Amino acid sequence: MKHLFEPYSLPSTTLNNRVVMAPMTRARRPDHVPGPDTAEYYRQRAGAGLIITEGVFVSPQAQGYSDVPGLWTDEQRAGWAVVTDAVHDAGGRIFAQLWHVGRVSHTSLQPAGAAPVGPSTLQAQAHAWVQGVGFLDASRPRALGTDEIPRLTADFADAAARAVQAGFDGVELHGAHGFLFEQFLNPHVNDRTDRYGGSVENRARFLLEALDALIDRIGAQRVAVRLSPFTRASDLPADDQAEAVYAYLAPELARRHLAYVHLSDLRLGGAADVPEDFLKTFRAAYDGTILLAGGLDRTRAEELIASDLIDLAVFGRPFIANPDLVERMRHNLPLATPDPDTFYGGGAVGYTDYPHHDGSAA
Ligand code: FNR
């Protein structure tokens, strides 16, 4: 039987176990450059089979939250190189999550105070986060011109190239949670009449073109994608045709031979928004590695892996307070509870000061 604590081979690297640390924004880098604290935080958690970093902005325009590290400068690349060395020295593997928030931003976070960009001018009833100010209503976006899309795609490819130079084992395109790519996928946010709007194929075009640009630059075995089927995050309207989107995407993703597809269930309404029936359908249509995140514990993760619905189990909040989460789950030790007040911003408190299960420093 397949087991949570056994090694797993991705196309480009082998993981020590099937436990993955979820991408989690921690907003502690006002200069957007990863620092020694970033390296220490990820090193402490290298017992995960795979770490996926916090969302990393690919350009200044991509930003919707303050104090998040980026990958658009050589200085940022050098900062991340220290992080990947620390994780590799500790025996771990690490992918960078590449992020553009699209319309979910505020003019004060945008270059020259410009409007955020999206598929349309439809404003999100959602929030951007500005350090020292708090949550601000997302500003009215400007609709991207058809001829601007290749530049955004190039920003992702450039960030991916820097990620590989910085020693990352791969990159995960953030295609989830109502940010840029899901804004294009959603027929109620995307009202375009060009080749990026209308049919399912057109709405999925930007996502697939971005993935192809990453594949061209760093190779398919290093490219992954995160998607959140049926999510309503960031004011994404319900799409009763979402199944058609995924029926189209599954074989398109399969033929690209990606490192993995990461499905995120935010469970915003409390219950699962990625039903087991969907997982079965997607599993049958997509023959690569599948990750699932959202409300998992050891028991549920083992059930999902043993029943062959997923390959790798992703844990978010448990990794914040339990740097040795894999050891704790392996030995059925109690888990510490993370403090939501220190999720975003601040220093070492609630970041690098959570101890091991025996009370020793992580
Ligand atoms: C997140 N999540 C998240 N997701 C993502 O794709 N990129 C990101 O940068 C973040 N940032 C983030 C910050 C914090 C503090 C939390 C708690 C969560 C979502 C995360 O990856 C995961 O999907 C959820 O936390 C659900 O998994 P758990 O926590 O139930 O295991």
Side-chain angles (χ1 to χ4, degrees):
M1 195 170 81
K2 294 175 182 169
H3 204 275
L4 193 55
F5 303 108
E6 70 188 5
Y8 182 84
S9 289
L10 289 176
S12 68
T13 187
T14 297
L15 314 179
N16 287 329
N17 55 66
R18 293 173 183 250
V19 178
V20 178
M21 177 174 163
M24 284 180 290
T25 296
R26 306 304 307 274
R28 280 164 162 83
R29 300 305 307 171
D31 58 357
H32 310 300
V33 180
D37 55 335
T38 324
E40 174 61 9
Y41 167 70
Y42 287 114
R43 181 199 64 75
Q44 292 175 352
R45 287 156 182 77
L50 175 67
I51 291 172
I52 306 166
T53 68
E54 60 209 286
V56 174
F57 291 129
V58 297
S59 67
Q61 184 198 60
Q63 300 180 82
Y65 299 81
S66 291
D67 300 356
V68 170
L71 252 174
W72 68 84
T73 70
D74 292 342
E75 194 189 359
Q76 291 163 349
R77 185 196 63 204
W80 282 118
V82 178
V83 175
T84 63
D85 273 350
V87 170
H88 289 150
D89 286 350
R93 298 285 180 268
I94 182 165
F95 271 46
Q97 189 189 51
L98 302 185
W99 190 17
H100 189 308
V101 300
R103 67 178 186 151
V104 189
S105 185
H106 187 267
T107 50
S108 64
L109 290 167
Q110 291 291 307
V117 296
S120 66
T121 58
L122 196 71
Q123 195 167 359
Q125 303 301 310
H127 296 104
W129 181 75
V130 181
Q131 179 67 269
V133 180
F135 287 98
L136 292 175
D137 290 345
S139 306
R140 180 169 291 282
R142 172 177 75 75
L144 283 160
T146 310
D147 56 354
E148 283 182 274
I149 305 275
R151 183 187 53 74
L152 270 77
T153 306
D155 287 342
F156 277 91
D158 290 346
R162 277 195 197 91
V164 169
Q165 289 161 7
F168 280 106
D169 297 291
V171 301
E172 174 182 287
L173 183 80
H174 193 345
H177 303 170
F179 295 117
L180 183 66
F181 293 102
E182 280 199 336
Q183 293 159 26
F184 273 77
L185 286 176
N186 189 288
H188 307 293
V189 181
N190 181 347
D191 63 1
R192 304 175 72 90
T193 54
D194 64 358
R195 55 202 291 270
Y196 296 100
S199 64
V200 170
E201 289 82 350
N202 280 359
R203 284 183 276 126
R205 188 182 307 281
F206 186 18
L207 173 72
L208 295 175
E209 283 183 359
L211 286 171
D212 287 338
L214 299 182
I215 291 168
D216 278 353
R217 195 69 76 88
I218 64 168
Q221 76 281 4
R222 288 205 182 92
V223 176
V225 64
R226 190 176 217 206
L227 299 164
S228 46
F230 314 112
T231 194
R232 307 288 302 279
S234 306
D235 193 33
L236 216 57
D239 171 14
D240 60 10
Q241 305 291 311
E243 312 243 351
V245 171
Y246 283 87
Y248 172 69
L249 279 180
E252 285 292 327
L253 296 172
R255 71 182 182 79
R256 285 169 170 81
H257 303 292
L258 303 173
Y260 62 79
V261 170
H262 180 179
L263 301 174
S264 166
D265 183 344
L266 282 178
R267 309 169 71 92
L268 290 180
D273 42 41
V274 179
E276 204 161 306
D277 278 353
F278 172 84
L279 273 182
K280 285 185 184 145
T281 308
F282 191 82
R283 184 64 151 178
Y286 178 78
D287 60 3
T289 295
I290 295 180
L291 282 62
L292 179 71
L296 299 183
D297 58 15
R298 173 183 169 164
T299 306
R300 181 67 183 142
E302 288 191 320
E303 271 169 20
L304 287 162
I305 288 172
S307 60
D308 204 33
L309 278 177
I310 66 170
D311 300 294
L312 304 175
V314 186
F315 297 82
R317 287 159 295 182
F319 260 113
I320 290 181
N322 300 277
D324 54 347
L325 180 65
V326 174
E327 281 314 295
R328 293 198 203 204
M329 290 198 297
R330 194 196 299 269
H331 301 296
N332 284 316
L333 298 167
L335 299 188
T337 309
D339 174 9
D341 289 342
T342 52
F343 278 4
Y344 305 103
V349 177
Y351 189 47
T352 49
D353 66 345
Y354 285 108
H356 281 163
H357 62 87
D358 61 3
S360 64

